[in-house]
Amino acid sequence: MGTKSYSEMASALKKVVIKSDTTLEQLESLRIAKDGAVESYYIPFDYLTPNAKVVLVGITPGKTQLLNALISVENSIKKGLSTNEILKNAKVEGAFSGTLRKNLVQLLDYIGLDKKLGIKSTDSLFNTNAHLVHTTSVLRHPVFVDGQDYSGSTPNMIKHPLMVDLIDKYLKEEIRQLPNALYIPLGPKVCKVFDSLVKEGLLNSDQVLSGLPHPSGANAERIAYFMGNKQKELLSVKTNPKLLDKAKSEILEKLAKVKI
């Protein structure tokens, strides 16, 4: 699979009609790779924030983010915007959109990233202070398994050929372009990928802020405990408080020392 760019996919994007109930089958012209039940679709997230101080890294965009980004492109084209403006808007409006963004902002403000960056809230990273952040994913283009959003569990993204290819061709290239930024991987699956990237020598461990719970709505209990909004005694067996306590301590310590 070769890399796909907006210029290559522009004609296909213009033909796509996006509605709230648009299915993956209706987006087939945007599919860039398929391996059995695993498939990936192009998302117009080509824009890379130059000189970004922080890079937020998720697992992969889901269908919500894909549709939001496509709607953004559609609206930008109607306004006659330049390609750079189209891609910049698609990233700001589509990346970590929906419930993800609300939870993410709460987590980032809680650990004090807003104060570290000298801004009122990390919510502004998605509007007025977007120049400070680059948003991406281990798998930059949305990956679906059996037609459902890929959660990072099965198959293993550092072993599956299609996913390894996405990591090699997109994520590693983004890291090479932003070698001095602070990277914040979201969730344990993403942290494992960054552990391997540190071992490869692409990043230094002191510039990777691992341990933040994934901001997915399905992760509500872990997020609540991490932020001190739920007592340990009330946690379900699915949540490990020791791991979260350790992660929080390490994050706060590292963030206090790091220069960004």
Side-chain angles (χ1 to χ4, degrees):
M1 176 184 69
T3 56
K4 297 294 182 181
S5 65
Y6 177 77
S7 59
E8 293 175 282
M9 302 298 293
S11 59
L13 286 166
K14 289 177 182 178
K15 295 175 183 177
V16 173
V17 178
I18 305 300
K19 299 179 181 178
S20 60
D21 59 351
T22 296
T23 65
L24 290 180
E25 288 74 17
Q26 293 170 315
L27 298 176
E28 188 175 357
S29 62
L30 300 182
R31 190 169 64 195
I32 59 175
K34 181 175 174 61
D35 185 346
V38 181
E39 53 187 354
S40 180
Y41 289 72
Y42 172 79
I43 193 169
F45 278 178
D46 304 38
Y47 183 80
L48 185 139
T49 309
N51 306 311
K53 293 186 175 183
V54 175
V55 180
L56 303 174
V57 190
I59 297 172
T60 190
K63 187 182 176 185
T64 296
Q65 289 75 43
L66 174 59
L67 294 182
N68 286 344
L70 295 177
I71 290 170
S72 174
V73 167
E74 188 176 48
N75 292 335
S76 292
I77 290 174
K78 289 178 181 177
K79 294 176 183 176
L81 301 182
S82 67
T83 296
N84 191 60
E85 290 172 317
I86 289 171
L87 293 175
K88 188 175 182 179
N89 286 347
K91 182 65 87 67
V92 171
E93 294 171 23
F96 298 109
S97 52
T99 305
L100 275 175
R101 185 175 296 183
K102 177 183 176 182
N103 290 340
L104 178 57
V105 167
Q106 289 179 341
L107 284 165
L108 295 177
D109 282 353
Y110 179 77
I111 63 173
L113 184 63
D114 53 340
K115 295 179 179 62
K116 193 74 177 181
L117 291 171
I119 58 180
K120 187 175 180 180
S121 168
T122 54
D123 179 63
S124 67
L125 294 177
F126 298 96
N127 40 73
T128 55
N129 286 309
H131 62 285
L132 297 174
V133 68
H134 176 60
T135 56
T136 190
S137 298
V138 169
L139 309 172
R140 188 169 93 184
H141 293 294
V143 169
F144 303 93
V145 180
D146 290 322
Q148 302 299 312
D149 289 359
Y150 173 61
S151 66
S153 298
T154 305
N156 188 329
M157 58 184 154
I158 56 178
K159 293 184 178 180
H160 190 278
L162 184 154
M163 299 184 193
V164 169
D165 201 33
L166 286 172
I167 292 170
D168 288 343
K169 291 178 177 173
Y170 295 100
L171 178 62
K172 290 184 179 180
E173 180 55 32
E174 288 177 297
I175 290 173
R176 292 186 184 100
Q177 293 183 61
L178 294 169
N180 302 313
L182 174 68
Y183 286 78
I184 304 181
L186 303 173
K189 302 292 192 308
V190 182
C191 289
K192 285 184 179 180
V193 173
F194 272 77
D195 286 343
S196 67
L197 295 174
V198 169
K199 289 179 182 177
E200 285 183 40
L202 278 175
L203 290 166
N204 296 316
S205 60
D206 59 0
Q207 67 182 125
V208 179
L209 205 65
S210 294
L212 209 66
H214 192 276
S216 165
N219 217 17
E221 183 176 76
R222 293 183 182 88
I223 294 171
Y225 179 73
F226 186 91
M227 295 178 59
N229 295 330
K230 190 166 187 176
Q231 296 179 346
K232 186 183 299 184
E233 298 75 23
L234 301 177
L235 296 175
S236 69
V237 294
K238 294 181 180 180
T239 297
N240 188 326
K242 288 185 178 180
L243 284 180
L244 289 171
D245 288 343
K246 182 175 183 292
K248 179 160 64 173
S249 176
E250 291 175 352
I251 286 172
L252 295 176
E253 183 178 349
K254 183 176 286 189
L255 187 59
K257 294 178 180 178
V258 72
K259 294 182 179 180
I260 55 177

